[in-house]
Amino acid sequence: MTITRPTSDALVLFGATGDLAHRKIFPSLYAMERRGVLNVPVIGCARKDMTDAAMVERARDGIEQFGHDFDEGTFKRLADRIHYARVDYAEPDCFKKLRDTLGDAKHPLFYLAIPPSMFEGVVEQLQASGCAEGAAVVVEKPFGRDLSTALELNEVLHRVFQEDRIFRIDHYLGKEALLNLQYFRFANRFLEPIWNREHVRSVQITMAEDIGVEGRGGFYDEAGAIRDVVQNHMMQVVALLAMDPPAAADEESLRDAKVRLFRSMLPFREEDVVRGQFAGYRDKPGVAADSTTETFAAMRLRIDSWRWAGVPFFIRVGKNLPVTATEVTVEMHRPPQRLFPDGGGPARNYFRFQLKPSTVITIGASAKTPGDRMIGEQMEMVAVHRQPSEMEAYERLIGEALVGDTGLFARVDEVESTWRLVDPILQANTPIQDYEPGTWGPAAADTLIERYGVWHDPLSPVRLCPVTP
Ligand code: BG6
Protein backbone atom coordinates (compact mmCIF):
# COMPACT_ATOMS: atom_id res chain seq x y z
CA MET A 1 0.00 0.00 0.00
CA THR A 2 1.61 3.26 -1.06
CA ILE A 3 0.28 6.32 0.63
CA THR A 4 0.69 9.68 -1.08
CA ARG A 5 0.83 12.64 1.22
CA PRO A 6 1.34 16.29 0.43
CA THR A 7 4.87 17.61 0.26
CA SER A 8 5.30 20.65 2.47
CA ASP A 9 5.76 24.01 0.83
CA ALA A 10 7.07 25.97 3.86
CA LEU A 11 8.94 25.14 7.03
CA VAL A 12 7.98 27.08 10.14
CA LEU A 13 10.35 26.67 13.01
CA PHE A 14 9.07 27.49 16.50
CA GLY A 15 11.92 27.86 18.97
CA ALA A 16 14.13 29.24 16.18
CA THR A 17 16.46 30.99 18.64
CA GLY A 18 16.78 27.93 20.88
CA ASP A 19 19.55 25.41 21.32
CA LEU A 20 18.13 22.64 19.15
CA ALA A 21 17.65 24.97 16.20
CA HIS A 22 21.16 26.28 16.67
CA ARG A 23 22.96 22.96 16.99
CA LYS A 24 20.92 20.64 14.84
CA ILE A 25 18.16 22.16 12.75
CA PHE A 26 19.96 25.01 10.97
CA PRO A 27 23.07 22.89 10.30
CA SER A 28 20.77 20.22 8.82
CA LEU A 29 18.96 22.75 6.65
CA TYR A 30 22.35 23.99 5.47
CA ALA A 31 23.38 20.41 4.58
CA MET A 32 20.14 19.97 2.65
CA GLU A 33 20.77 23.21 0.80
CA ARG A 34 24.23 21.94 -0.10
CA ARG A 35 22.76 18.72 -1.50
CA GLY A 36 20.24 20.81 -3.43
CA VAL A 37 17.20 19.23 -1.77
CA LEU A 38 15.87 22.16 0.21
CA ASN A 39 13.26 24.05 -1.75
CA VAL A 40 10.94 25.71 0.75
CA PRO A 41 11.00 29.00 2.63
CA VAL A 42 12.12 28.71 6.26
CA ILE A 43 10.30 30.93 8.74
CA GLY A 44 11.94 31.10 12.13
CA CYS A 45 9.61 32.01 15.00
CA ALA A 46 10.33 33.01 18.57
CA ARG A 47 9.11 35.49 21.14
CA LYS A 48 11.88 38.06 20.72
CA ASP A 49 11.78 41.05 18.46
CA MET A 50 14.28 40.28 15.77
CA THR A 51 14.94 41.11 12.12
CA ASP A 52 15.32 38.62 9.28
CA ALA A 53 19.01 39.57 9.17
CA ALA A 54 19.48 38.75 12.85
CA MET A 55 17.82 35.36 12.33
CA VAL A 56 20.16 34.69 9.42
CA GLU A 57 23.17 35.58 11.58
CA ARG A 58 22.02 33.31 14.35
CA ALA A 59 21.64 30.49 11.81
CA ARG A 60 25.12 31.21 10.44
CA ASP A 61 26.59 30.94 13.91
CA GLY A 62 25.02 27.53 14.48
CA ILE A 63 26.07 26.25 11.07
CA GLU A 64 29.66 27.46 11.49
CA GLN A 65 29.93 25.82 14.89
CA PHE A 66 28.00 22.62 14.39
CA GLY A 67 27.74 22.05 10.63
CA HIS A 68 30.21 20.71 8.09
CA ASP A 69 32.13 22.36 5.24
CA PHE A 70 30.88 25.92 5.54
CA ASP A 71 30.70 27.60 2.18
CA GLU A 72 29.49 31.18 1.61
CA GLY A 73 27.66 30.44 -1.67
CA THR A 74 25.56 27.67 -0.12
CA PHE A 75 24.91 29.76 2.95
CA LYS A 76 23.77 32.68 0.81
CA ARG A 77 21.19 30.45 -0.90
CA LEU A 78 19.95 29.26 2.49
CA ALA A 79 19.93 32.79 3.89
CA ASP A 80 17.64 33.89 1.04
CA ARG A 81 15.04 31.41 2.27
CA ILE A 82 15.16 32.45 5.92
CA HIS A 83 12.62 34.87 7.40
CA TYR A 84 11.78 35.72 10.93
CA ALA A 85 8.33 36.13 12.50
CA ARG A 86 7.89 37.24 16.08
CA VAL A 87 5.32 34.94 17.62
CA ASP A 88 4.22 35.28 21.18
CA TYR A 89 2.71 31.86 21.69
CA ALA A 90 -0.19 33.31 23.67
CA GLU A 91 -1.15 36.07 21.21
CA PRO A 92 -3.72 35.10 18.57
CA ASP A 93 -2.75 38.08 16.41
CA CYS A 94 0.77 36.76 15.96
CA PHE A 95 -0.62 33.55 14.48
CA LYS A 96 -2.90 35.49 12.12
CA LYS A 97 0.13 37.42 10.90
CA LEU A 98 2.01 34.19 10.54
CA ARG A 99 -0.72 32.87 8.26
CA ASP A 100 -0.28 36.03 6.15
CA THR A 101 3.48 35.56 6.10
CA LEU A 102 2.92 32.04 4.79
CA GLY A 103 1.33 33.57 1.67
CA ASP A 104 0.39 30.89 -0.86
CA ALA A 105 1.81 28.01 1.14
CA LYS A 106 -0.89 25.33 1.39
CA HIS A 107 1.00 22.66 3.31
CA PRO A 108 3.27 24.26 5.87
CA LEU A 109 5.29 22.04 8.18
CA PHE A 110 5.36 23.40 11.75
CA TYR A 111 8.40 22.25 13.68
CA LEU A 112 7.79 22.65 17.42
CA ALA A 113 11.33 22.90 18.83
CA ILE A 114 9.83 24.20 22.08
CA PRO A 115 9.14 22.67 25.50
CA PRO A 116 6.21 20.21 25.49
CA SER A 117 4.39 22.35 28.04
CA MET A 118 3.88 24.91 25.24
CA PHE A 119 2.55 22.47 22.63
CA GLU A 120 -1.09 22.78 23.61
CA GLY A 121 -1.23 26.57 23.36
CA VAL A 122 0.65 26.65 20.06
CA VAL A 123 -1.38 23.88 18.47
CA GLU A 124 -4.64 25.58 19.47
CA GLN A 125 -3.48 28.87 18.01
CA LEU A 126 -2.40 27.18 14.81
CA GLN A 127 -5.89 25.86 14.44
CA ALA A 128 -7.70 29.05 15.41
CA SER A 129 -5.65 31.13 12.95
CA GLY A 130 -6.16 28.76 10.02
CA CYS A 131 -2.44 27.95 9.96
CA ALA A 132 -3.08 24.26 10.68
CA GLU A 133 -5.19 23.71 7.59
CA GLY A 134 -3.35 21.38 5.20
CA ALA A 135 -0.38 21.48 7.55
CA ALA A 136 1.79 18.92 9.32
CA VAL A 137 3.64 19.13 12.62
CA VAL A 138 7.01 17.94 13.90
CA VAL A 139 7.44 17.40 17.63
CA GLU A 140 10.57 16.58 19.55
CA LYS A 141 11.01 14.11 22.34
CA PRO A 142 10.22 13.93 25.23
CA PHE A 143 6.72 12.87 24.19
CA GLY A 144 5.39 13.16 27.70
CA ARG A 145 7.11 12.08 30.89
CA ASP A 146 5.07 8.95 31.53
CA LEU A 147 2.13 7.11 30.04
CA SER A 148 -0.57 9.51 31.22
CA THR A 149 1.20 12.67 30.05
CA ALA A 150 1.99 11.00 26.72
CA LEU A 151 -1.71 10.18 26.31
CA GLU A 152 -2.59 13.82 27.05
CA LEU A 153 0.00 15.13 24.62
CA ASN A 154 -1.21 12.87 21.85
CA GLU A 155 -4.77 13.92 22.54
CA VAL A 156 -3.75 17.59 22.17
CA LEU A 157 -2.04 16.90 18.84
CA HIS A 158 -4.89 14.76 17.54
CA ARG A 159 -7.41 17.52 18.21
CA VAL A 160 -5.83 19.37 15.32
CA PHE A 161 -3.64 17.02 13.27
CA GLN A 162 -4.29 13.58 11.88
CA GLU A 163 -1.80 10.95 12.96
CA ASP A 164 -0.22 10.72 9.51
CA ARG A 165 0.54 14.46 9.66
CA ILE A 166 2.38 14.21 13.00
CA PHE A 167 6.13 13.58 12.91
CA ARG A 168 7.50 12.63 16.32
CA ILE A 169 11.27 12.83 16.15
CA ASP A 170 13.36 10.16 17.79
CA HIS A 171 16.65 11.01 16.14
CA TYR A 172 17.90 7.43 16.52
CA LEU A 173 15.48 6.47 13.76
CA GLY A 174 17.33 8.74 11.35
CA LYS A 175 20.73 7.20 12.07
CA GLU A 176 22.47 5.35 9.29
CA ALA A 177 23.53 2.60 11.73
CA LEU A 178 19.91 1.85 12.67
CA LEU A 179 18.78 1.82 9.08
CA ASN A 180 21.62 -0.58 8.40
CA LEU A 181 20.48 -2.79 11.26
CA GLN A 182 17.03 -2.99 9.71
CA TYR A 183 18.53 -3.65 6.29
CA PHE A 184 20.97 -6.29 7.54
CA ARG A 185 18.21 -8.17 9.32
CA PHE A 186 15.78 -8.36 6.44
CA ALA A 187 18.00 -8.25 3.36
CA ASN A 188 19.87 -11.40 4.43
CA ARG A 189 18.34 -14.83 4.52
CA PHE A 190 20.83 -16.50 6.82
CA LEU A 191 19.71 -14.65 9.95
CA GLU A 192 16.02 -15.45 10.05
CA PRO A 193 16.24 -19.21 10.81
CA ILE A 194 18.48 -18.59 13.81
CA TRP A 195 16.98 -15.32 15.05
CA ASN A 196 14.86 -16.78 17.82
CA ARG A 197 14.85 -18.45 21.22
CA GLU A 198 16.07 -21.77 19.81
CA HIS A 199 19.40 -20.25 18.90
CA VAL A 200 19.79 -16.94 20.69
CA ARG A 201 20.81 -17.10 24.33
CA SER A 202 20.75 -13.43 25.26
CA VAL A 203 20.94 -9.99 23.75
CA GLN A 204 22.59 -6.97 25.27
CA ILE A 205 22.80 -3.33 24.30
CA THR A 206 25.08 -0.74 25.83
CA MET A 207 24.71 2.94 25.09
CA ALA A 208 27.66 4.56 26.85
CA GLU A 209 28.52 8.24 26.93
CA ASP A 210 31.70 9.56 28.46
CA ILE A 211 30.19 13.02 28.93
CA GLY A 212 28.09 14.07 31.92
CA VAL A 213 25.04 16.33 31.71
CA GLU A 214 26.95 19.20 30.08
CA GLY A 215 24.90 22.26 30.91
CA ARG A 216 21.59 20.35 30.62
CA GLY A 217 21.36 19.66 34.36
CA GLY A 218 17.91 21.23 34.75
CA PHE A 219 16.37 19.26 31.88
CA TYR A 220 18.18 16.04 32.72
CA ASP A 221 17.29 16.08 36.39
CA GLU A 222 13.60 16.12 35.46
CA ALA A 223 14.10 13.22 33.08
CA GLY A 224 16.86 10.73 33.99
CA ALA A 225 18.38 8.06 31.78
CA ILE A 226 15.27 5.89 31.45
CA ARG A 227 13.09 8.71 30.13
CA ASP A 228 15.93 10.30 28.18
CA VAL A 229 17.15 7.35 26.16
CA VAL A 230 15.56 4.00 27.16
CA GLN A 231 11.86 4.62 26.50
CA ASN A 232 12.71 5.93 23.04
CA HIS A 233 16.17 5.27 21.54
CA MET A 234 16.85 1.90 23.19
CA MET A 235 13.35 0.62 22.53
CA GLN A 236 13.75 1.50 18.87
CA VAL A 237 17.02 -0.42 18.73
CA VAL A 238 15.35 -3.44 20.36
CA ALA A 239 12.50 -3.11 17.87
CA LEU A 240 14.77 -3.32 14.86
CA LEU A 241 16.65 -6.23 16.39
CA ALA A 242 13.69 -8.27 17.55
CA MET A 243 10.59 -7.46 15.51
CA ASP A 244 9.10 -9.93 13.07
CA PRO A 245 9.53 -9.12 9.40
CA PRO A 246 7.06 -6.37 8.45
CA ALA A 247 4.10 -7.60 6.43
CA ALA A 248 5.02 -5.36 3.49
CA ALA A 249 7.54 -2.73 2.48
CA ASP A 250 5.47 0.34 3.36
CA GLU A 251 6.04 2.57 6.34
CA GLU A 252 2.89 1.58 8.25
CA SER A 253 3.77 -2.11 8.04
CA LEU A 254 7.16 -1.36 9.56
CA ARG A 255 5.55 0.54 12.41
CA ASP A 256 2.92 -2.20 12.85
CA ALA A 257 5.72 -4.75 13.26
CA LYS A 258 7.37 -2.64 15.93
CA VAL A 259 4.15 -2.10 17.84
CA ARG A 260 3.42 -5.82 17.76
CA LEU A 261 6.80 -6.40 19.36
CA PHE A 262 6.33 -3.66 21.97
CA ARG A 263 3.02 -5.23 22.93
CA SER A 264 4.68 -8.56 23.54
CA MET A 265 7.21 -7.01 25.94
CA LEU A 266 6.50 -7.36 29.64
CA PRO A 267 6.61 -4.20 31.74
CA PHE A 268 9.83 -3.81 33.73
CA ARG A 269 9.66 -4.98 37.33
CA GLU A 270 11.71 -3.49 40.14
CA GLU A 271 14.06 -6.48 40.11
CA ASP A 272 14.78 -5.90 36.42
CA VAL A 273 16.35 -2.51 37.00
CA VAL A 274 19.51 -1.08 38.55
CA ARG A 275 19.64 2.70 38.70
CA GLY A 276 22.90 4.56 39.25
CA GLN A 277 24.03 8.15 39.67
CA PHE A 278 27.59 9.33 39.11
CA ALA A 279 29.36 10.88 42.08
CA GLY A 280 29.30 14.66 41.80
CA TYR A 281 26.06 14.78 39.76
CA ARG A 282 24.17 16.59 42.54
CA ASP A 283 26.67 19.45 42.42
CA LYS A 284 25.96 20.19 38.75
CA PRO A 285 24.07 23.39 37.91
CA GLY A 286 20.33 22.83 37.66
CA VAL A 287 20.46 19.52 39.56
CA ALA A 288 18.61 19.23 42.89
CA ALA A 289 20.91 18.79 45.89
CA ASP A 290 18.97 15.69 46.96
CA SER A 291 18.32 14.40 43.44
CA THR A 292 17.52 10.71 43.01
CA THR A 293 17.54 10.94 39.22
CA GLU A 294 19.45 8.14 37.48
CA THR A 295 22.34 8.92 35.16
CA PHE A 296 22.82 5.18 34.61
CA ALA A 297 20.40 2.31 34.19
CA ALA A 298 20.92 -1.39 33.64
CA MET A 299 17.76 -3.27 32.80
CA ARG A 300 16.51 -6.71 31.88
CA LEU A 301 13.73 -6.73 29.32
CA ARG A 302 11.49 -9.75 28.77
CA ILE A 303 9.69 -10.38 25.51
CA ASP A 304 6.83 -12.81 25.81
CA SER A 305 6.53 -14.04 22.25
CA TRP A 306 7.02 -17.35 20.40
CA ARG A 307 10.22 -15.94 18.97
CA TRP A 308 11.78 -14.56 22.16
CA ALA A 309 10.21 -16.03 25.31
CA GLY A 310 12.99 -16.79 27.79
CA VAL A 311 15.67 -14.77 25.98
CA PRO A 312 16.70 -11.83 28.15
CA PHE A 313 17.44 -8.49 26.51
CA PHE A 314 19.81 -6.53 28.73
CA ILE A 315 20.04 -2.77 28.28
CA ARG A 316 22.72 -0.59 29.86
CA VAL A 317 22.86 3.19 29.38
CA GLY A 318 24.74 5.87 31.20
CA LYS A 319 26.54 9.18 31.40
CA ASN A 320 30.14 9.55 32.53
CA LEU A 321 31.06 6.01 31.51
CA PRO A 322 34.53 5.13 30.16
CA VAL A 323 33.71 5.58 26.44
CA THR A 324 31.13 7.02 24.07
CA ALA A 325 29.84 4.13 22.01
CA THR A 326 26.69 2.13 21.40
CA GLU A 327 26.88 -1.59 20.75
CA VAL A 328 24.60 -4.61 20.62
CA THR A 329 25.74 -8.18 21.18
CA VAL A 330 23.48 -11.08 20.24
CA GLU A 331 24.89 -14.21 21.84
CA MET A 332 23.97 -17.64 20.50
CA HIS A 333 23.67 -20.96 22.33
CA ARG A 334 26.55 -23.39 22.15
CA PRO A 335 26.47 -26.16 19.55
CA PRO A 336 24.37 -29.01 20.97
CA GLN A 337 27.12 -31.64 20.77
CA ARG A 338 30.63 -31.39 22.12
CA LEU A 339 32.96 -33.01 19.64
CA PHE A 340 36.25 -31.45 20.69
CA PRO A 341 38.37 -31.63 23.82
CA ASP A 342 37.80 -27.96 24.57
CA GLY A 343 34.03 -28.46 24.34
CA GLY A 344 33.68 -26.95 20.90
CA GLY A 345 35.83 -23.89 21.14
CA PRO A 346 36.12 -21.31 23.84
CA ALA A 347 33.22 -19.26 22.70
CA ARG A 348 29.68 -19.18 21.58
CA ASN A 349 28.85 -17.52 18.31
CA TYR A 350 27.70 -13.97 18.50
CA PHE A 351 26.74 -11.05 16.34
CA ARG A 352 28.01 -7.69 17.40
CA PHE A 353 26.51 -4.50 16.02
CA GLN A 354 28.36 -1.28 16.70
CA LEU A 355 25.97 1.61 16.13
CA LYS A 356 28.29 4.35 17.31
CA PRO A 357 30.92 5.70 16.67
CA SER A 358 30.97 3.69 13.40
CA THR A 359 28.67 1.16 11.82
CA VAL A 360 30.36 -2.19 12.34
CA ILE A 361 28.91 -5.69 12.27
CA THR A 362 31.08 -8.57 13.40
CA ILE A 363 30.36 -12.25 13.76
CA GLY A 364 32.10 -14.16 16.52
CA ALA A 365 33.03 -17.74 15.70
CA SER A 366 35.45 -20.43 16.81
CA ALA A 367 38.25 -21.72 14.61
CA LYS A 368 40.91 -24.34 15.17
CA THR A 369 44.14 -23.17 16.71
CA PRO A 370 46.94 -24.33 14.40
CA GLY A 371 48.81 -27.30 15.83
CA ASP A 372 48.29 -30.97 16.56
CA ARG A 373 45.43 -30.61 19.03
CA MET A 374 41.78 -30.16 18.07
CA ILE A 375 41.27 -27.08 20.13
CA GLY A 376 40.06 -23.70 19.02
CA GLU A 377 40.03 -20.00 19.58
CA GLN A 378 37.58 -17.18 19.22
CA MET A 379 37.69 -15.24 15.95
CA GLU A 380 35.82 -12.17 14.80
CA MET A 381 34.73 -11.84 11.20
CA VAL A 382 33.98 -8.32 10.16
CA ALA A 383 30.91 -8.22 7.95
CA VAL A 384 30.43 -4.47 7.65
CA HIS A 385 32.66 -1.60 8.62
CA ARG A 386 31.67 1.92 7.69
CA GLN A 387 32.70 5.28 9.00
CA PRO A 388 29.99 7.56 10.39
CA SER A 389 27.88 8.80 7.52
CA GLU A 390 27.98 12.35 6.34
CA MET A 391 24.23 12.57 6.56
CA GLU A 392 23.20 13.47 10.07
CA ALA A 393 20.06 11.97 11.52
CA TYR A 394 18.34 15.35 11.69
CA GLU A 395 19.03 16.10 8.07
CA ARG A 396 17.44 12.82 7.01
CA LEU A 397 14.44 13.31 9.30
CA ILE A 398 13.68 16.88 8.28
CA GLY A 399 13.85 15.78 4.64
CA GLU A 400 11.44 12.90 5.29
CA ALA A 401 9.01 15.11 7.21
CA LEU A 402 9.00 17.69 4.39
CA VAL A 403 7.97 15.05 1.85
CA GLY A 404 5.42 13.57 4.25
CA ASP A 405 6.99 10.15 4.90
CA THR A 406 6.19 9.01 8.43
CA GLY A 407 8.17 5.75 8.47
CA LEU A 408 11.14 7.16 10.40
CA PHE A 409 8.99 8.75 13.08
CA ALA A 410 7.40 7.32 16.19
CA ARG A 411 3.72 6.55 15.72
CA VAL A 412 1.27 7.21 18.55
CA ASP A 413 0.94 3.54 19.49
CA GLU A 414 4.73 3.07 19.56
CA VAL A 415 5.09 5.91 22.01
CA GLU A 416 2.24 4.77 24.20
CA SER A 417 3.26 1.13 24.27
CA THR A 418 6.86 1.94 25.24
CA TRP A 419 5.72 4.24 28.05
CA ARG A 420 3.55 1.39 29.29
CA LEU A 421 6.71 -0.70 29.72
CA VAL A 422 8.73 1.81 31.70
CA ASP A 423 5.87 3.40 33.64
CA PRO A 424 5.94 0.92 36.57
CA ILE A 425 9.61 1.55 37.30
CA LEU A 426 9.31 5.30 36.91
CA GLN A 427 6.65 5.20 39.59
CA ALA A 428 8.62 2.76 41.77
CA ASN A 429 11.61 5.06 42.27
CA THR A 430 13.93 2.11 42.98
CA PRO A 431 17.11 2.76 45.02
CA ILE A 432 19.80 4.82 43.40
CA GLN A 433 23.40 3.59 43.62
CA ASP A 434 26.51 5.75 43.30
CA TYR A 435 29.26 5.11 40.78
CA GLU A 436 32.51 6.85 40.08
CA PRO A 437 32.70 8.87 36.87
CA GLY A 438 34.65 6.98 34.22
CA THR A 439 33.56 3.53 35.44
CA TRP A 440 30.94 1.11 34.12
CA GLY A 441 28.34 2.01 36.73
CA PRO A 442 27.37 0.38 40.03
CA ALA A 443 28.40 -3.20 40.78
CA ALA A 444 24.74 -4.23 41.03
CA ALA A 445 24.56 -3.92 37.22
CA ASP A 446 26.98 -6.86 36.97
CA THR A 447 24.82 -8.89 39.33
CA LEU A 448 21.79 -8.27 37.12
CA ILE A 449 23.43 -10.01 34.19
CA GLU A 450 25.64 -12.56 35.95
CA ARG A 451 23.49 -15.61 35.26
CA TYR A 452 24.06 -14.95 31.58
CA GLY A 453 27.66 -13.81 31.68
CA VAL A 454 29.07 -10.31 31.73
CA TRP A 455 28.43 -6.99 30.07
CA HIS A 456 30.36 -6.56 26.86
CA ASP A 457 32.01 -3.20 27.02
CA PRO A 458 31.79 -1.39 23.70
CA LEU A 459 35.06 -0.97 21.79
CA SER A 460 36.60 -3.88 23.79
CA PRO A 461 36.90 -7.56 22.92
CA VAL A 462 33.81 -9.63 23.71
CA ARG A 463 34.29 -11.81 26.81
CA LEU A 464 32.09 -14.86 26.75
CA CYS A 465 31.70 -16.83 29.94
CA PRO A 466 31.87 -20.60 29.51
CA VAL A 467 29.03 -21.19 32.02
CA THR A 468 25.78 -22.51 30.59
CA PRO A 469 22.88 -22.03 32.97
C1 BG6 B 1 19.53 12.50 23.22
C2 BG6 B 1 19.62 12.54 24.71
O1 BG6 B 1 18.23 12.15 22.82
O2 BG6 B 1 20.45 11.55 22.71
C3 BG6 B 1 21.04 12.85 25.16
O3 BG6 B 1 18.74 13.53 25.21
C4 BG6 B 1 22.02 11.90 24.50
O4 BG6 B 1 21.16 12.78 26.57
C5 BG6 B 1 21.79 11.85 23.01
O5 BG6 B 1 23.33 12.37 24.78
C6 BG6 B 1 22.66 10.80 22.35
O6 BG6 B 1 22.51 10.85 20.97
P1 BG6 B 1 23.68 10.44 20.00
O7 BG6 B 1 23.15 10.64 18.63
O8 BG6 B 1 24.83 11.36 20.32
O9 BG6 B 1 24.02 9.02 20.31
Side-chain angles (χ1 to χ4, degrees), residues 141 171-172 175 207 209 216 228-229 233 319 356:
K141 88 175 220 316
H171 79 283
Y172 258 55
K175 281 180 182 272
M207 176 188 178
E209 295 181 279
R216 300 162 78 218
D228 190 36
V229 298
H233 305 334
K319 301 277 187 195
K356 188 180 172 170

Side-chain angles (χ1 to χ4, degrees), residues 243-310:
M243 68 187 186
D244 287 338
D250 63 276
E251 54 198 47
E252 294 311 327
S253 298
L254 171 68
R255 303 201 295 178
D256 290 346
K258 288 184 186 174
V259 168
R260 187 160 182 256
L261 176 80
F262 292 142
R263 292 204 174 128
S264 63
M265 292 176 176
L266 301 174
F268 290 101
R269 303 162 301 183
E270 292 189 27
E271 65 265 37
D272 297 325
V273 180
V274 172
R275 296 191 314 127
Q277 188 186 76
F278 66 80
Y281 170 72
R282 293 180 198 166
D283 304 329
K284 302 285 174 204
V287 173
D290 57 351
S291 170
T292 56
T293 298
E294 75 284 351
T295 61
F296 172 98
M299 307 166 75
R300 177 180 38 217
L301 170 67
R302 296 165 303 147
I303 304 179
D304 192 18
S305 67
W306 274 52
R307 189 189 281 268
W308 295 117

